[in-house]
Amino acid sequence: MSYRLLAGVALTMLGIPVIAQESNQDPDKRAEAALRQMTPEEKITLLHGPMPSLLQSSKRPEGIVIGAGYIPGVPRLGVPALTETDASLGVSNLNDLRKGDVATALPSGLSLASTWDVKLARAGGAMIGSEARAKGFNVMLVGGVNLVRDPRAGRNFEYLGEDPLLAGMLVGGQIAGVQSNNIIATIKHWAMNDLETGRNVHSVDMAEAPMRESDLLAFEIGIERGQPHSVMCSYNRVNGVYACENPFLLTDVLRRDWGFRGFVMSDWGAVHSSEALVAGLDQQSGEQLDGKRWFSDLMVQAVAQGRVPQSAIDTAARRILRSMYASGIVNRPVQAGAKIDYAANGAIAQQAAEQGIVLLRNAGNILPIAATARRIVVIGGHADIGVLSGGGSSQVRPVGGFALEERQKGGGMSAFTKRSYMPSSPLAALRAACPEAQISFVDGSDPAAAAIAAKAADLVVVFGEKWASEGADHKDMALDLGGDALIEAVAEANPRTVVVLESDAAVAMPWHGKVAAILAAWYPGQRGGEAIARVLTGAVNPSGRLPVTLPVSVDQLPNPVLPGPQVSAAGPAAPVTYGLAAGQKTFPVTFPEGSDVGYR
Ligand code: BGC
């Protein structure tokens, strides 16, 4: 018996897992060694897991961390469980079980993209990754880089714009930052998941070259730059084949062409077969949402029936293990309960928001607000209490809690996402910055009353909002809540009007020639109010640059009518469901612009 083996036996007798001790070996060797010691059942354990919040409390494994996903480990070999949380804008924590838990909420992806600053992307990633780590998560489902092809798409706010180079560079920085905490990040949603309408049934049909020159390129750059340990495949089909069982995407492009070494996890409810494993999917996430346990009981059957070779199981388990060793989650295990410096992290969120604000118009240099402005009226947007944020799995409950949460009617995920405002009031910040001025507030619900207030002021700051959530696309590009009519009325009464947009993506601005200034603040995160006030007053020079083209109206879009069933005021007619709802039919999505996305 070699000394090494002897030492191993001794360690095992002491109850210390052998694999964990071999920290000086490279991840491939460690993965191979662990795999060799695993039983067939243990290998399958690594290939699937539940969404913890959907488990009855009596069925929750001991010590489970409640987040988006959980993959049990193999304790006897020192293989840790994967504890997974969303996502790109901070540790998302809407789960009832963790109610009251807060995290630092960064501005939206499009805000980050407007900074054009890879270092900032990395700093933000490092910050949210450190919070994930401190809360006991070793996988952060960060890194959304689907391209913004249509301003009506519901998840644009999570993504990084329309340009594959910019988006790829930024997501690479973000992922590298997250993973600098020795945790795993996952780039997502692979691939072509650019619309929410019918996202789990539609097929994006596009030739290979334009795909590789657009959406795929953003991932390629992101993977090259950020080296994520995981990729998340998406709900939709690509050229007729589900992304999570698409050999072209999962094997030809990702592995053969790009040499990706990590593992592929599914999106939650995006798996349709056990054979997906052979196509290149390694892990079924949130398995209750699929309806069938394709990667557990059914996988055992598939192997027994010869539909899936045992070697494919080994390959998938090996990739998952390799990512565990390569990321550092084994050598430096996460532990919930570490102290978080929320003040320092909030400062990063504010810096990001300040740099992400884009000045779209400034007629007569009305901004920055002159020291001589005495009577200022702030209108709408709940600016007296906070700033808007986007809904869905990426929603972060910010430090300080929401200023306001409003339940929404309609399709998509509105049943469980609310229109939520971060607790950072632009009005309060403006008052603090301009102590000499009289600054009043009008809520904007009555355009006539707002116009009267505007007339009596030296300067008007009016907020325009557009709320978006995962799970539904917009029906048009208009502002919410009659915002366009409000701005028209106010600008008519007082041309010294500054519009601050809190929107997910591009919106129509039929009033744009009538107002003096326009700021695109996107969803500016938990310190957005301060950031907006600092840009308005000139404490910060607005230096954000657009990461998306601003079409004048939907007529200018490559698809003036969204593909698939029509989106109604109540949400998409093919609402988001998990797995396949009875009667839902696939439909083609074509993007006539191909690789010429946006200004290209
Ligand atoms: C989203 C993913 C997310 C997952 C887990 C899905 O609905 O598409 O982006 O990571 O849920 O919450």
Side-chain angles (χ1 to χ4, degrees):
M1 191 183 282
S2 71
Y3 285 120
R4 190 143 188 212
L5 215 51
L6 257 178
V9 170
L11 287 168
T12 312
M13 283 163 65
L14 288 171
I16 299 170
V18 181
I19 306 299
Q21 301 304 314
E22 297 182 351
S23 52
N24 50 357
Q25 284 194 27
D26 77 52
D28 291 298
K29 287 192 183 139
R30 295 176 77 186
E32 200 53 52
L35 191 71
R36 255 188 280 123
Q37 296 182 59
M38 281 186 176
T39 64
E41 293 73 30
E42 284 169 339
K43 290 175 186 170
I44 298 245
T45 299
L46 295 183
L47 308 192
H48 69 101
M51 186 161 193
S53 53
L54 299 181
L55 288 175
Q56 286 170 7
S57 37
S58 58
K59 296 210 171 126
R60 284 193 199 122
E62 209 190 322
I64 190 170
V65 187
I66 305 291
Y70 179 79
I71 310 287
V74 185
R76 79 176 179 92
L77 296 174
V79 174
L82 294 178
T83 52
E84 304 174 341
T85 182
D86 286 297
S88 311
L89 314 180
V91 179
S92 133
N93 41 25
L94 288 186
N95 203 293
D96 280 351
L97 298 159
R98 294 176 52 231
K99 231 183 186 135
D101 190 18
V102 295
T104 304
L106 283 172
S108 66
L110 273 195
S111 168
L112 173 64
S114 301
T115 71
W116 289 47
D117 186 342
V118 177
K119 277 200 194 115
L120 194 59
R122 192 187 156 100
M127 183 274 283
I128 60 175
S130 74
E131 292 195 3
R133 180 174 185 88
K135 292 171 187 292
F137 295 108
N138 59 18
V139 179
M140 200 168 199
L141 309 171
V142 73
V145 71
N146 297 93
L147 289 192
V148 173
R149 287 178 178 270
D150 191 308
R152 294 162 298 186
R155 294 185 89 172
N156 286 340
F157 74 93
E158 294 185 50
Y159 301 144
L160 297 163
E162 69 192 20
D163 185 295
L165 176 60
L166 179 66
M169 297 282 288
L170 289 168
V171 84
Q174 192 181 41
I175 288 167
V178 168
Q179 291 193 161
S180 68
N181 294 285
N182 293 120
I183 62 173
I184 294 172
T186 180
I187 194 168
K188 67 188 187 183
H189 308 85
W190 178 242
M192 309 302 299
N193 183 187
D194 302 337
L195 290 176
E196 291 296 279
T197 305
R199 70 177 179 184
N200 59 333
V201 287
H202 74 229
S203 173
V204 176
D205 297 336
M206 194 183 280
E208 184 174 337
M211 259 197 296
R212 285 195 188 253
E213 292 166 1
S214 57
D215 285 61
L216 271 47
L217 181 57
F219 278 86
E220 185 176 9
I221 296 168
I223 291 173
E224 197 175 289
R225 295 270 160 168
Q227 300 283 314
H229 294 293
S230 166
V231 166
M232 184 192 293
C233 56
S234 58
Y235 290 114
N236 53 292
R237 301 172 195 244
V238 175
N239 291 324
V241 183
Y242 281 113
C244 286
E245 55 185 40
N246 191 312
F248 167 72
L249 292 174
L250 301 175
T251 298
D252 299 356
V253 177
L254 210 51
R255 308 261 174 211
R256 185 196 64 197
D257 299 345
W258 299 350
F260 176 65
R261 310 282 317 272
F263 69 101
V264 178
M265 63 167 74
S266 71
D267 201 342
W268 274 231
V271 187
H272 301 274
S273 68
S274 301
E275 286 81 351
L277 187 84
V278 183
L281 173 64
D282 301 306
Q283 195 175 67
Q284 181 183 13
S285 320
E287 63 193 351
Q288 306 102 314
L289 297 174
D290 282 311
K292 289 202 177 162
R293 293 163 57 87
W294 297 112
F295 274 41
S296 51
D297 318 351
L298 293 175
M299 187 62 83
V300 176
Q301 273 179 33
V303 175
Q305 293 165 359
R307 286 184 285 118
V308 170
Q310 177 61 39
S311 60
I313 299 209
D314 286 8
T315 300
R318 188 182 294 113
R319 289 172 180 158
I320 296 164
L321 288 164
R322 183 189 187 276
S323 289
M324 289 179 171
Y325 295 116
S327 60
I329 68 168
V330 182
N331 284 4
R332 207 184 146 218
V334 297
Q335 221 171 2
K339 212 170 152 346
I340 295 174
D341 185 347
Y342 283 124
N345 293 353
I348 295 175
Q350 182 172 332
Q351 194 200 354
E354 287 172 355
Q355 294 193 25
I357 293 175
V358 187
L359 180 64
L360 298 177
R361 176 175 167 84
N362 194 19
N365 289 335
I366 192 168
L367 290 179
I369 294 176
T372 48
R374 282 286 165 266
R375 289 161 309 162
I376 300 174
V377 61
V378 173
I379 300 173
H382 292 293
D384 54 333
I385 52 168
V387 291
L388 191 60
S389 62
S393 60
S394 66
Q395 177 87 63
V396 178
R397 181 181 298 279
V399 177
F402 291 118
L404 178 69
E405 289 180 275
E406 288 174 336
R407 197 162 278 295
Q408 298 295 292
K409 288 203 197 88
M413 286 186 157
S414 55
F416 63 95
T417 81
K418 296 180 193 141
R419 182 186 186 102
S420 306
Y421 292 79
M422 300 277 155
S424 173
S425 157
L427 175 69
L430 203 55
R431 281 184 174 150
C434 309
E436 306 284 298
Q438 271 178 13
I439 307 182
S440 55
F441 178 72
V442 176
D443 73 9
S445 57
D446 175 357
I452 292 171
K455 208 166 193 122
D458 301 333
L459 184 90
V460 183
V461 180
V462 57
F463 284 76
E465 305 172 66
K466 192 158 182 79
W467 181 71
S469 171
E470 174 181 345
D473 298 322
H474 299 300
K475 67 180 193 323
D476 56 31
M477 292 172 62
L479 290 178
D480 294 344
L481 312 168
D484 293 309
L486 173 68
I487 294 171
E488 293 273 359
V490 164
E492 181 93 351
N494 188 343
R496 292 179 56 77
T497 288
V498 175
V499 176
V500 179
L501 293 171
E502 289 175 6
S503 71
D504 55 327
V507 291
M509 292 179 267
W511 32 260
H512 94 278
K514 300 180 190 157
V515 302
I518 308 172
L519 285 180
W522 314 110
Y523 297 151
Q526 74 168 46
R527 293 275 278 270
E530 284 85 353
I532 289 169
R534 278 166 59 79
V535 168
L536 286 172
T537 56
V540 169
N541 190 19
S543 50
R545 280 152 286 181
L546 286 175
V548 286
T549 302
L550 305 184
V552 168
S553 65
V554 291
D555 312 331
Q556 293 188 340
L557 299 174
N559 283 319
V561 176
L562 270 180
Q566 282 304 284
V567 182
S568 75
V576 165
T577 52
Y578 289 101
L580 278 186
Q584 272 199 305
K585 290 204 184 76
T586 184
F587 59 88
V589 168
T590 48
F591 293 114
E593 72 281 11
S595 61
D596 292 333
V597 185
Y599 74 91
R600 295 213 291 176

